Amino acid sequence: MGLKPGYIYEYAANHTPFNIPLELYTFRIGASRVNTTFYAFYGATTDLPEDEVKARIADDIKILSSNSTTSRFLAFASHTPFKQQVSADAVANGFYDQLNALQGYRGMHYTGNALDDLINMQNGTSSKTPVASSNDPIFRLWQPNIQLKHLFYGHSSVNKHLCDVLPSPSSKVLILTGQSLATKTPLVKELQALLKEHHAATFSGIRQHGHFADVDVAQEIVLQDDSIDTILSLGGGSPIDSAKTIAYRVSEIKGKWLTHITIPTTLSAAECTAGGGYTKSDGVKVGFMAPEMAVKAIFYDPYYASFTPKELWLSTGMRAMDHVVECFYHPYASEIWKVQSLWAAHALFDHLPKARDSQPHDFNLTTQLQIAAFLSSGLKGGNLKGGMGLSHSLGHALGSPYGIPHGVTSCLTLGLVVKFKAQASEEDAR
């Protein structure tokens, strides 16, 4: 069926405020003990005919696998209704307070998703199992991104080291970028000249939010040229996330991963995550996540960022500040991430106002901001439980459906979310 053995696919619904799918959806596809067999879970608000559910699951599998093969269903079962539900009025009238009051009654304690409790106790005995990401500030596991092998920063770092990080002496590179950088700056031509015989092709049609059609065209270039083993993304979040998605989909088809090298020209920090996606024709963003999707080499070269329009540079700086702020109210943020975010917050607060007047001429200041953007998100840990916070969720709901750049969505949402969180929690307010 084209899906990768051993992988689990989950629908995170990046376009909704709290990443909760609101429409009919396949919410989980998981591998079974047989490599070519998977199980799928489909959710709906009403009972649906079996044929319709199967057809929808099959369509989603085709999107995930980039494979036209028709899925064959070995078994089907309906669990309608799936679970009990609590009305909004019941919640407002204290349902969960009453549920929590049962804890300890007749020596029995309860755990589960509804209670969001890590402690399982029965008859007065207790045990606590450490998990990869927890809300205990001094008892947890932080896992670094082991995919990132190189991070260069400073003027001329691309010219000096780009060819050094190619996976082999015979590597061939696809450059992935947008129209503006390709037609309004000398950067693409300079990269092609720098790569020399390593340059295989350039695709400069990536639009804002990475449209599905653009990803398809770029992916086809890779599939038609077996010599391409590396993808070089140049730009902001759209080409970077599109490159990750292409690498993921090519691995599904060819069974091997492209090496992803990136030269970011904004402060959005898309290069820091092992997830990507594309935007469908209806404006809904489809996301993918796999450890191998992470970037292998990052170049923070201020020369390349000097061609970024000032408004885009500053607004994506607020996107980086968004990461920093959400770190401090994220219940599972590690102390490692928090320490780095403190430095990033100081640098962004100090340097962004200066960049308003100096961009694009002060390369030292630009490099400081690029490092701050990385520290705002690059060390949050590969095992962070859950997604980012409310401001990011609202940004996804506003961004691709309405064509608003994510830097701008952070400008719109961050201040209001900070105010809301401060009013809702005395601890967050501090």
Side-chain angles (χ1 to χ4, degrees):
M1 63 195 293
L3 298 179
K4 192 163 185 177
Y7 273 65
I8 295 174
Y9 303 81
E10 293 189 349
Y11 182 18
N14 289 335
H15 60 291
T16 66
F18 297 99
N19 302 120
I20 299 173
L22 301 179
E23 69 280 2
L24 308 178
Y25 63 100
T26 305
F27 62 85
R28 183 182 177 93
I29 300 175
S32 71
R33 294 183 179 181
V34 180
N35 282 344
T36 57
T37 303
F38 289 74
Y39 58 84
F41 295 95
Y42 189 85
T45 55
T46 59
D47 195 11
L48 295 175
E50 178 178 332
D51 290 343
E52 181 177 345
V53 174
K54 287 182 176 179
R56 289 176 180 270
I57 292 174
D59 287 343
D60 289 338
I61 289 172
K62 285 182 180 179
I63 293 174
L64 288 170
S65 62
S66 302
N67 192 322
S68 59
T69 303
T70 301
S71 301
R72 184 165 64 95
F73 289 82
L74 302 179
F76 179 88
S78 175
H79 301 276
T80 305
F82 182 60
K83 60 174 66 176
Q84 297 91 346
Q85 296 184 357
V86 182
S87 69
D89 288 341
V91 173
N93 290 329
F95 172 84
Y96 282 103
D97 291 334
Q98 298 169 34
L99 183 64
N100 192 54
L102 292 174
Q103 296 285 25
Y105 178 64
R106 292 185 177 177
M108 181 70 75
H109 292 258
Y110 303 88
T111 186
N113 290 338
L115 297 172
D116 194 21
D117 199 338
L118 294 177
I119 300 176
N120 182 21
M121 300 190 295
Q122 186 172 8
N123 296 327
T125 62
S126 66
S127 63
K128 187 167 184 177
T129 304
V131 294
S133 177
S134 75
N135 56 7
D136 184 334
I138 57 172
F139 188 81
R140 65 181 65 189
L141 172 67
W142 173 79
Q143 291 180 333
N145 172 13
I146 61 174
Q147 300 294 325
L148 179 63
K149 305 299 183 183
H150 308 277
L151 191 155
F152 295 94
Y153 56 91
H155 182 38
S156 297
S157 58
V158 171
N159 287 344
K160 293 178 180 177
H161 299 292
L162 177 60
C163 291
D164 297 337
V165 301
L166 297 179
S168 77
S170 59
S171 287
K172 294 292 185 179
V173 181
L174 167 67
I175 298 174
L176 192 72
T177 189
Q179 277 289 324
S180 293
L181 287 175
T183 60
K184 298 180 181 179
T185 78
L187 297 180
V188 173
K189 291 182 179 179
E190 290 176 2
L191 283 174
Q192 292 171 346
L194 179 63
L195 289 169
K196 297 179 182 177
E197 70 277 7
H198 295 294
H199 177 245
T202 295
F203 180 73
S204 57
I206 298 297
R207 289 170 285 176
Q208 181 176 277
H209 298 300
H211 285 251
F212 183 83
D214 305 339
V215 171
D216 270 357
V217 174
Q219 176 182 310
E220 192 61 27
I221 294 174
V222 177
L223 295 178
Q224 294 299 319
D225 187 344
D226 287 334
S227 69
I228 296 177
D229 62 357
T230 303
I231 188 165
L232 171 60
S233 58
L234 171 67
S238 297
I240 294 173
D241 279 352
S242 295
K244 295 182 214 171
T245 302
I246 292 167
Y248 172 83
R249 295 173 70 185
V250 168
S251 77
E252 292 284 289
I253 297 170
K254 289 189 170 184
K256 62 179 182 179
W257 287 87
L258 298 171
T259 295
H260 183 188
I261 301 169
T262 187
I263 306 173
T265 60
T266 74
L267 299 171
S268 65
E271 65 276 7
C272 296
T273 68
Y278 55 78
T279 300
K280 298 193 298 183
S281 57
D282 59 2
V284 174
K285 191 73 174 282
V286 177
F288 301 88
M289 181 75 72
E292 296 89 345
M293 289 176 67
V295 173
K296 300 299 188 294
I298 300 173
F299 286 87
Y300 289 126
D301 193 321
Y303 167 70
Y304 285 79
S306 69
F307 292 91
T308 302
K310 184 178 296 186
E311 181 178 334
L312 177 59
W313 182 251
L314 296 176
S315 64
T316 56
M318 286 305 299
R319 186 68 169 176
M321 184 65 84
D322 205 336
H323 297 140
V324 169
V325 173
E326 295 202 326
C327 163
F328 287 99
Y329 68 76
H330 196 296
Y332 298 99
S334 70
E335 304 310 299
I336 308 297
W337 183 21
K338 288 180 180 179
V339 169
Q340 306 301 327
S341 289
L342 275 175
W343 187 94
H346 181 272
L348 291 166
F349 191 83
D350 183 58
H351 297 329
L352 274 178
K354 297 176 183 176
R356 183 179 53 200
D357 302 320
S358 65
Q359 172 72 7
H361 307 294
D362 190 336
F363 281 6
N364 288 336
L365 187 67
T366 296
T367 302
Q368 291 283 339
L369 285 168
Q370 290 176 314
I371 295 171
F374 174 79
L375 293 179
S376 75
S377 185
L379 294 174
K380 61 177 176 283
N383 62 319
L384 181 71
K385 184 177 179 179
M388 294 295 292
L390 178 57
S391 182
H392 266 61
S393 296
L394 292 171
H396 284 298
L398 293 170
S400 51
Y402 299 99
I404 304 173
H406 280 312
V408 175
T409 63
S410 289
C411 294
L412 294 172
T413 61
L414 180 57
L416 294 172
V417 167
V418 168
K419 183 178 180 180
F420 169 77
K421 297 291 289 186
Q423 291 173 340
S425 167
E426 183 178 342
E427 181 178 349
D428 286 337
R430 289 197 299 268

